[in-house]
Amino acid sequence: MDAPRWLDEREDRAWRGYRRMRRLLDLELARELTQDAGLSEPDYDVLSDLSETPQGRLRLSELAHRMLWSRSRLSHHLSRMQQRGLVTREECADDARGSIVVLTPAGRQAIESAAPGHVAAVRRHLIDLLTPAEVDALGALTHRVVDHLADPGLRATRPQPTAEA
């Protein structure tokens, strides 16, 4: 086995700073979203993804893919959102096993009410702290990492767990 490539001081500082920033930012944005709009982050993700489609509809499998969730996990979450009147589910006409998630008028009202405050929080806690060049750099590096992680070939190069592990 190859010796590990430990992070040097500069890399370690960047890595630990990123992790701490991500945790704190996620916590604060989630806290404000819940306090101000009564929505969880997953609620907001579902509602915003649906609201950005022309008819407020997505296949459950597509929504799960966008959220990086299993269909089962999303289905359970959607059941809770249905009870609150934010979404409904319909059978998929071309796939008896599939379903379509539909944004309700109450769901559209919830996302339209929540979005301005959420965007203000994103600005206050991240975007407005950066220079335009830093925003550009953040966009470039996040897209580079996302593209790398989304590459199907990446999974083929990862070490696979053994039965002994």
Side-chain angles (χ1 to χ4, degrees), residues 132-153:
E134 290 169 330
V135 171
D136 291 342
L138 179 63
L141 77 90
T142 56
H143 284 24
R144 184 180 328 138
V145 173
V146 167
D147 290 347
H148 167 75
L149 294 173
D151 178 2

Side-chain angles (χ1 to χ4, degrees), residues 47-79:
L47 296 174
S48 65
D49 280 351
L50 290 173
S51 73
E52 292 169 357
T53 66
Q55 296 159 342
R57 309 163 61 86
L58 277 173
R59 285 183 68 115
L60 187 142
S61 57
E62 171 63 19
L63 187 54
H65 176 75
R66 289 179 181 206
M67 292 181 66
L68 305 175
W69 279 20
S70 70
R71 289 187 304 269
S72 174
R73 179 181 181 193
L74 179 58
S75 184
H76 287 291
H77 187 77
L78 291 172
S79 293

Side-chain angles (χ1 to χ4, degrees), residues 19-38:
R19 290 191 42 101
R20 180 94 173 129
M21 177 201 69
R22 191 194 69 191
R23 286 186 209 125
L24 290 169
L25 184 59
D26 287 349
L27 282 170
E28 186 59 24
L29 293 175
R31 186 190 67 73
E32 289 187 29
L33 188 59
T34 300
Q35 179 181 316
D36 298 344

Side-chain angles (χ1 to χ4, degrees), residues 1 28 42 53 62 68 72 82 85 104 108 111 118 124 144 149 155 158 162:
M1 182 155 97
E28 186 59 24
T53 66
E62 171 63 19
L68 305 175
S72 174
Q82 276 184 275
T104 65
R108 184 166 301 282
I111 192 66
H118 184 61
R124 185 171 54 257
R144 184 180 328 138
L149 294 173
R155 285 179 276 297
R158 282 190 196 133
T162 64

